[in-house]
Amino acid sequence: MRNIALFLSYLGTGYHGWQIQKNLVTVQETLQKAIEMIVGHDVHVTGCGRTDAGVHAKCYVANFRTASTIPVDRLPYALNTHLPCDIVVTKAFEVHEHFNAIGSCARKEYTYQIYNSRLKNPFYVNRAWFYPRHLDEKIMQEAASQFVGTHDFAAVRSVGTDVKSTVRTVYYYNVERRGDILELKVCANGFLYNMARAMAGTVVYAAEGKIKPHEIGAILDSGNRTAAGPTVPPGGLYMSHLWYDDGIELFECTPMA
């Protein structure tokens, strides 16, 4: 059996997240059905993470095992003929038998987009969070920097999945303004349920003056979810960069050009 890794991108608006759910349309089930039509047998697709309903992926990695001999360079074209237009496979390649899309992932980056303008833009509906009051990106960056390092992130998670530990390491959290668009890019060795969206809400809280940027450290120490900012809407969140290094495979998944 060959172990095949896929790079894909998708808009999550029409899906109830990545993970298969009974009687709901998900990215995993849609991709899995397309693969089965191509290879001619049942497969199980493992994804690099569970994106929630409405969350997008500029890059995403999944793997599956198959007895099919279809050349990997033909797989993206074959799969894309059986996939809806909001899911696109951009690359396929064979990986070693122990590779696992989630277990072999060393780092992940999420990007949260805020459309910060007094007027709405219809082209950013479900693509960015519309926020009409001006946000100071300098204050937001000061707040975002407080998350960098190894911390217990229980204060910025939602209850939903059981984990052994709520300690994670954040490598960077950068805030950049491009006209009316604010981009919040955070990279970590793992994310808790709704962690990226709760962190973004806390950064916005700081810009609103509801908390001081330097207070974020104490909020994390407290583990008190109600002390941090809200969980912002899913439509502005994108999985945007992935790093793999398990001692055998070394590669990155970056957004499409």
Side-chain angles (χ1 to χ4, degrees):
M1 297 284 280
R2 294 189 298 164
N3 192 7
I4 306 296
L6 301 175
F7 283 6
L8 57 145
S9 299
Y10 59 82
L11 288 173
T13 306
Y15 301 92
H16 291 268
W18 162 263
Q19 189 170 330
I20 290 176
Q21 300 180 54
K22 188 176 182 180
N23 299 323
L24 295 173
V25 179
T26 66
V27 179
Q28 184 184 23
E29 183 177 28
T30 303
L31 177 62
Q32 198 160 284
K33 286 180 177 179
I35 293 171
E36 290 173 349
M37 292 181 69
I38 297 299
V39 301
H41 61 80
D42 291 346
V43 300
H44 174 74
V45 178
T46 299
C48 61
R50 193 185 80 171
T51 57
D52 294 325
V55 174
H56 318 293
K58 292 184 177 181
C59 70
Y60 192 93
V61 175
N63 75 289
F64 67 97
R65 287 172 169 77
T66 180
S68 169
T69 59
I70 297 174
V72 289
D73 60 339
R74 290 175 52 190
L75 273 174
Y77 302 100
L79 288 171
N80 288 332
T81 63
H82 294 281
L83 286 168
C85 60
D86 50 8
I87 303 175
V88 177
V89 175
T90 59
K91 183 179 180 181
F93 52 101
E94 193 165 347
V95 290
H96 64 85
E97 63 175 331
H98 300 297
F99 176 85
N100 180 282
I102 188 167
S104 302
C105 188
R107 298 185 182 191
K108 299 176 183 179
E109 178 195 82
Y110 280 97
T111 299
Y112 195 83
Q113 287 193 161
I114 300 173
Y115 190 75
N116 190 209
S117 172
R118 292 181 65 186
L119 295 174
K120 295 180 179 180
N121 185 328
F123 297 103
Y124 283 100
V125 173
N126 294 322
R127 305 290 186 272
W129 179 31
F130 171 61
Y131 192 96
R133 295 191 299 278
H134 179 74
L135 293 168
D136 188 330
E137 61 268 28
K138 292 182 179 178
I139 295 176
M140 295 176 73
Q141 181 61 72
E142 186 180 352
S145 296
Q146 308 305 308
F147 288 108
V148 176
T150 301
H151 308 284
D152 186 331
F153 286 94
V156 283
R157 66 170 292 210
S158 297
V159 176
T161 54
D162 293 327
V163 292
K164 293 180 180 179
S165 172
T166 51
V167 174
R168 298 289 186 273
T169 298
V170 171
Y171 301 105
Y172 60 79
Y173 198 171
N174 299 327
V175 179
E176 182 179 356
R177 177 180 288 276
R178 297 180 181 178
D180 292 328
I181 292 290
L182 283 165
E183 286 192 340
L184 287 64
K185 290 183 179 292
V186 55
C187 173
N189 62 353
F191 288 84
L192 303 167
Y193 183 51
N194 282 341
M195 176 175 156
R197 289 163 58 193
M199 291 169 73
T202 305
V203 168
V204 170
Y205 247 29
E208 292 174 333
K210 294 179 179 177
I211 59 172
K212 299 292 185 183
H214 70 266
E215 295 174 341
I216 290 176
I219 292 173
L220 292 178
D221 290 341
S222 74
N224 183 0
R225 178 68 189 90
T226 61
T231 301
V232 292
L237 187 62
Y238 299 75
M239 183 174 283
S240 52
H241 200 140
L242 297 163
W243 290 262
Y244 282 84
D245 181 8
D246 63 359
I248 302 176
E249 296 292 334
L250 175 61
F251 60 84
E252 296 180 29
C253 178
T254 58
M256 295 176 63

